[in-house]
Amino acid sequence: MSRKLEVSLAQLDFAPLAPIGNGEQLIETATSEAKNGAGLIVFPELCNTGYVEPLAPGEGFPSGATSHTEYAKQLYSAAANHDDTLIKTLSAVCAHYDCHIVVGLALRSATQSGKLYNASLLLGPGGIQACYAKTHLWHNEKLYFTPGRSMPVCDIPAARIGMQVCYDIRFPEVTRCLALGGAEVVTNIWASFRHANVPLEDPDTFRHRAYTRAQENGLFFVSCNRVGRHGGMQFMGRSLVARPDGSVLAALDHEQTGILRASLALDEIAEYRMATGILNDRRPELYSAIADVAK
């Protein structure tokens, strides 16, 4: 019997430092997509707080903070705890509809006060099933977040799931580590933006990246970006799903709010890997020598 996974990617807009309103939107969307039969619902990066300020080096604080210190306090206050009501409610949706959710949150450390992670959580009927903290922090994210140190791969009923966040996609080692850990589906959640008055140079940039990571590992690559304006920046949307051979299964080719639904035929993973030998033909004994030289 063939294995399938119904996925929904929620390409949404989120308000800065507004965890209650943003949380309500997450719960409403998750419930709707779960009712519609989604087995995996994927949300973008930093859904509870919006993206960090300044959005880029040299930019100001659109939310009105007067310094990094003041904004850091606001961000920490808006972030979630591991036992947050939002996490419990989303987990209850998973339990009621027998589904799973991947959601990006600014997450406080469970053990050290004052420490934040840019996290991707895998939620299931029993609560948090896995927590991935973004390993490669982009520009001003380094002012507020602690980088992660692990790359979990977890089972859901239909597939094995690995997670990454935004900038991580530029480091092929992340997706490869997840593939070697058994991942069949890798989710990449974004808050990727451009200057609002500067057109996107290559509208297919997200396709190129997903195509490459999917094809070189023979897995489904699920890329969910947010939309909306924040200060002078425009989030670029263009969420998509790439198949194991890199071809695009489904895509939203725009920067507006939308839901992308796709059915993943998971047997394609083994078929592609067997046809290409993509994992069997690796030569790690050679790569390690190069990696040692590059340290």
Side-chain angles (χ1 to χ4, degrees):
M1 183 177 178
S2 61
R3 293 187 299 139
K4 290 190 178 294
L5 176 62
E6 304 300 323
V7 299
S8 292
L9 285 66
Q11 184 170 288
L12 304 176
D13 185 10
F14 299 98
L17 303 174
I20 295 176
N22 291 336
E24 290 172 350
Q25 181 180 205
L26 290 172
I27 294 163
E28 179 181 355
T29 304
T31 302
S32 175
E33 290 308 299
K35 285 181 178 178
N36 196 52
L40 180 66
I41 304 159
V42 183
F43 292 102
E45 177 182 13
L46 296 175
C47 294
N48 55 339
T49 62
Y51 194 67
V52 299
E53 298 178 8
L55 278 80
E59 298 288 326
F61 295 89
S63 295
T66 58
S67 67
H68 291 101
T69 300
E70 182 181 345
Y71 178 78
K73 292 178 181 178
Q74 295 172 350
L75 180 65
Y76 190 77
S77 177
N81 290 318
H82 284 71
D83 61 351
D84 196 84
T85 299
L86 172 61
I87 293 173
K88 290 180 178 178
T89 305
L90 290 173
S91 299
V93 173
C94 293
H96 186 77
Y97 293 100
D98 193 22
C99 65
H100 285 75
I101 293 171
V102 170
V103 60
L105 299 177
L107 187 70
R108 298 176 188 143
S109 168
T111 58
Q112 298 181 40
S113 179
K115 180 180 284 190
L116 281 182
Y117 297 104
N118 184 341
S120 178
L121 297 180
L122 175 62
L123 306 179
I128 299 175
Q129 188 163 333
C131 177
Y132 170 74
K134 188 173 184 178
T135 306
H136 302 91
L137 298 176
W138 176 256
H139 288 319
N140 287 341
E141 293 174 27
K142 300 179 182 73
L143 298 172
Y144 310 111
F145 298 117
T146 297
R149 300 175 61 87
S150 65
M151 299 175 191
V153 175
C154 290
D155 289 300
I156 66 174
R160 300 203 78 203
I161 305 294
M163 299 177 288
Q164 56 185 244
V165 180
C166 200
Y167 185 43
D168 286 327
I169 200 173
R170 300 199 188 196
F171 299 85
E173 297 90 344
V174 176
T175 313
R176 177 53 52 84
C177 285
L178 293 172
L180 294 177
E184 299 172 300
V185 177
V186 169
T187 60
N188 191 314
I189 58 175
W190 302 74
S192 185
F193 55 84
R194 60 176 173 81
H195 286 279
N197 59 352
V198 179
L200 183 58
E201 183 174 343
D202 182 2
D204 288 330
T205 185
F206 297 101
R207 288 176 177 253
H208 301 324
R209 292 172 178 176
Y211 173 98
T212 303
R213 296 294 165 259
Q215 188 187 68
E216 67 192 8
N217 293 286
L219 46 70
F220 283 95
F221 198 89
V222 176
S223 173
C224 184
N225 193 19
R226 64 161 290 187
V227 295
R229 289 283 294 269
H230 189 164
M233 301 298 179
Q234 171 71 42
F235 293 95
M236 294 186 285
R238 295 181 172 82
S239 301
L240 74 142
V241 178
R243 298 167 62 199
D245 65 359
S247 61
V248 174
L249 175 62
L252 297 177
D253 291 320
H254 56 69
E255 297 181 350
Q256 287 79 49
T257 297
I259 302 293
L260 178 65
R261 303 183 182 98
S263 180
L264 312 189
L266 297 165
D267 291 342
E268 292 182 15
I269 299 165
E271 292 170 3
Y272 176 80
R273 289 177 177 177
M274 289 297 293
T276 61
I278 193 72
L279 295 184
N280 292 338
D281 293 340
R282 294 176 61 253
R283 296 290 304 280
E285 72 279 7
L286 301 180
Y287 315 148
S288 60
I290 297 171
D292 288 341
V293 171
K295 286 181 180 178

